[in-house]
Amino acid sequence: MTTVQQPISAATLPPGVRGHHRTGLGTGQVHLGLGNFHRAHQAVYTAAALAEEDGPWGVHAFASRSRAVVAALREQDLLSAVLEISPGGTAVTVPAVHTRADVAADDPAAVVAAIGAEATRVVTLTVTENGYTYSPATQRLDLDDPGVRHDLRDGRAPTTVVGQLVRGLQHRLRSHAAPVTILSCDNLSANGERTASLVREFAAELPAAEQAELLPWLDRAVAFPSSMVDRIVPATTGAHREAVGRRLGLRDLVPVPAEPFSMWVLEDAFAAGRPRWEAGGALFTDHVEPYELLKLRLLNGTHSLIAYLGALAGAATIPDAVARPFVEQAARAVLLDEYAPTLTVPDGVDLDSYVAQLFGRWANTALGHRTSQVGGDGSVKLAQRVPEPALFHLANGGVPQHLALTVAAYLCCVAPRPGADPGPHAAAMRDPARERLAERSARTGSTRAFVEGVLAEDHLLTPDVGAERAFVERVAELVDVITAHGPEAAAAEASAATATATGA
């Protein structure tokens, strides 16, 4: 193991590693969600933009609650490395775009002030689907959420992302009313429209005088473009820290691993300018939705099935999971037979090449993306990925077997039937609904009643899907197969049912 003496810093950084040559960056962006994905994606594109064109595009980033990354960045002159990892080797760069890092939970007023600052032109978000506090049942802001209720009462210390945005925008309006762009970079369908709707729904709950002040200004001065982001970014491990030490001779406490592939598609609808992200390969278009659905369904939806089946089969990583023939076959079936028919493939995208590229990315053994990480937050993620494709097939007279398998495998991971052991990788999946779903599983006698309660009453997906008896029954049957015989038997059952239905 390499002994590393000096921490990474502006003074110790070797030539040619830094992502751009600008110094004294002005802060023009605020970012909510200072995690690995932001530092391996938006930060990299911003560095490329600054390498081509100067501008006030430094980033004041807020972690939601985690102090570890913020503390480490502060020790390192706000620098951290991105390791681009493939079987062919590892490349290291340091984007160097952050001007400040804070913890939102420690200083909520600082978030409001940063969003409200006149110099701020763009506010970006990577807070995961779970960070938007909306109700899957209503597809609207969850007004019963304790954090939302708190933020409606107290404008000084908002705790939710939507509350932070609205209170920051109010501060902005009252201070100078300069325009600004709110850019969601999370895996939500029509994420710009969704974010705008949630902001307006929150504003509509404010006192009448505040509504009258804020809502017309939102229409005039605040843009909410949609975007699609795509890069596989695993969690950081000690091996990644050691890799930075070997390559740079420096200690980096919080390097970020990422695959070589990266994609960003955005609407070019910004209210106050933006970095030249196209210098890093970002694509600007008036039609983000086809790219968004391509990614949400083919990549994200299939990725979820791989993670759940793999975890239940004892696979620690996605490459290990997809290397198992039954997992790969199930993944191809859900992707090609059930997700792909629901899409309009964007112009210029060759579907066969795109699918081949996806399986190549999932098989990147050097990256080691964990099934427990990919499978996390499924209660929120699946609601973005499964309902519309499932309803498409159900409306056309067929039960989508592998979409049902996705839901069944998810339930077996986070809320196994009494006496079942899903294994350590499933047990490690973090999910906001785990406790509630596990409690329902423990107290519900039949699997059919359990699944019906989850889909029809808890609205794990959407009410429309929960009302589809054939889909509910199929999910329940596959939960029983997984419980009694394992995930491989359930995948074979789904494949056989598909073949019977299509006459193959």
Side-chain angles (χ1 to χ4, degrees), residues 322-401:
V322 83
R324 304 181 184 215
F326 87 91
V327 175
E328 181 186 355
Q329 290 167 8
R332 289 189 183 277
V334 77
L335 190 159
L336 295 171
D337 299 337
E338 297 179 13
Y339 280 126
T342 70
L343 298 171
T344 299
V345 179
D347 292 340
V349 174
D350 180 82
L351 186 60
D352 291 340
S353 297
Y354 182 82
V355 171
Q357 186 180 50
L358 285 181
F359 278 90
R361 293 167 65 190
W362 291 325
N364 184 348
T365 54
L367 198 60
H369 205 185
R370 300 190 70 80
T371 51
S372 57
Q373 181 184 356
V374 176
D377 289 340
S379 58
V380 183
K381 292 175 179 177
L382 294 185
Q384 296 295 318
R385 302 167 188 179
V386 170
E388 287 189 22
L391 292 169
F392 172 90
H393 291 287
L394 290 161
N396 286 284
V399 176
Q401 297 291 324

Side-chain angles (χ1 to χ4, degrees), residues 2-7 12 14 243-251:
T2 304
T3 300
V4 180
Q5 300 291 329
Q6 293 178 296
T12 61
V244 173
R246 287 193 302 271
R247 284 161 177 78
L248 300 185
L250 300 171
R251 183 179 74 247

Side-chain angles (χ1 to χ4, degrees), residues 132-219:
Y132 289 78
T133 53
Y134 70 93
S135 166
T138 65
Q139 298 293 298
R140 294 177 61 84
L141 185 68
D142 186 358
L143 296 173
D144 293 325
D145 181 88
V148 172
R149 293 202 303 268
H150 168 275
D151 294 351
L152 286 168
R153 291 192 308 269
D154 184 356
R156 298 165 300 173
T159 60
T160 68
V161 170
V162 175
Q164 289 162 355
L165 291 174
V166 173
R167 297 307 188 178
L169 291 171
Q170 282 185 299
H171 178 71
R172 189 176 190 88
L173 170 59
R174 293 165 180 171
S175 300
H176 49 77
V180 69
T181 297
I182 309 296
L183 177 62
S184 170
C185 302
D186 286 299
N187 292 324
L188 298 172
S189 296
N191 54 13
E193 294 177 20
R194 174 65 61 85
T195 306
S197 294
L198 294 170
V199 164
R200 289 187 172 93
E201 287 161 19
F202 186 103
E205 296 297 321
L206 296 172
E210 294 182 48
Q211 291 184 42
E213 173 189 47
L214 181 59
L215 287 169
W217 180 75
L218 291 176
D219 293 334

